[in-house]
């Protein structure tokens, strides 16, 4: 467990940047997930192309996973779940809905899903930094 969740030593400025990134991205995503977690198996509405179980996984990921990321708790696991959720969202907007990368009007886009995918991918690979609950619970990794 320690190898998976213990953050590696980094400069303090990197730890502060990771803390700010985690908190802002976590709170923003938890806000997106809040409405979905209220009706986890059907938040996309009746006749949705996505089965209820996948809607529920996305709702839990966006709400609980985002809170975990903000706290820096099991960050790599939560970041992995959020990365897959955002990959699915980006592909859904890009391939199924045929939305543009950036919307110039009323329609949707896959811009934000892609940005979140990159943020959570970074946190999955790098970890949360030393200013996290993971660091308190699991210590630091040894290089």
């Amino acid at each position: 467990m320690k190898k998976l969740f213990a953050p590696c030593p980094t400069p303090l400025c990197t730890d502060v940047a990771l803390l700010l990134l985690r908190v802002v991205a976590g709170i923003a995503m938890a806000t997106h997930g809040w409405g979905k977690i209220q009706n986890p198996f059907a938040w996309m509405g009746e006749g949705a192309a996505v089965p209820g179980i996948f809607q529920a996984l996305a709702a839990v990921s966006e709400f609980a996973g985002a809170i975990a990321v903000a706290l820096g708790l099991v960050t790599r696991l939560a970041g992995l779940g959020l990365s897959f959720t955002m990959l699915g969202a980006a592909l859904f907007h890009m391939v199924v809905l045929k939305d543009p990368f950036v919307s110039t009007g009323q329609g949707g886009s896959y811009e934000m899903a892609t940005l979140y995918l990159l943020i959570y991918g970074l946190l999955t690979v790098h970890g949360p930094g030393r200013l996290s609950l993971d660091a308190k619970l699991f210590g630091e990794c040894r290089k």
Side-chain angles (χ1 to χ4, degrees):
M1 291 292 273
K2 184 174 181 169
K3 282 187 177 186
L4 180 61
F5 295 119
C8 293
T10 54
L12 180 60
C13 60
T14 302
D15 291 327
V16 171
L18 287 167
L19 171 68
L20 294 173
L21 181 67
R22 279 193 352 261
V23 169
V24 171
I27 291 171
M29 185 56 65
T31 303
H32 286 287
W34 174 248
K36 296 171 185 168
I37 205 74
Q38 304 302 309
N39 187 15
F41 290 94
W43 57 266
M44 293 180 97
E46 287 189 35
V50 179
I53 187 66
F54 292 120
Q55 292 182 52
L57 289 171
V60 169
S61 173
E62 288 185 22
F63 185 67
I67 291 171
V69 164
L71 295 172
L73 180 64
V74 295
T75 307
R76 287 189 168 109
L77 182 62
L80 183 63
L82 283 159
S83 293
F84 281 121
T85 300
M86 292 301 102
L87 178 61
L91 289 173
F92 184 76
H93 279 275
M94 185 186 331
V95 176
V96 176
L97 300 178
K98 301 196 183 332
D99 288 335
F101 178 64
V102 177
S103 177
T104 57
Q106 294 284 340
S109 73
Y110 58 97
E111 171 190 11
M112 291 307 296
T114 305
L115 285 172
Y116 279 121
L117 169 61
L118 293 174
I119 290 169
Y120 294 124
L122 168 80
L123 292 170
T124 300
V125 171
H126 186 278
R130 292 177 295 167
L131 303 176
S132 65
L133 287 178
D134 284 345
K136 302 295 179 226
L137 294 172
F138 303 106
E140 287 184 17
C141 75
R142 294 191 180 117
K143 287 190 173 186

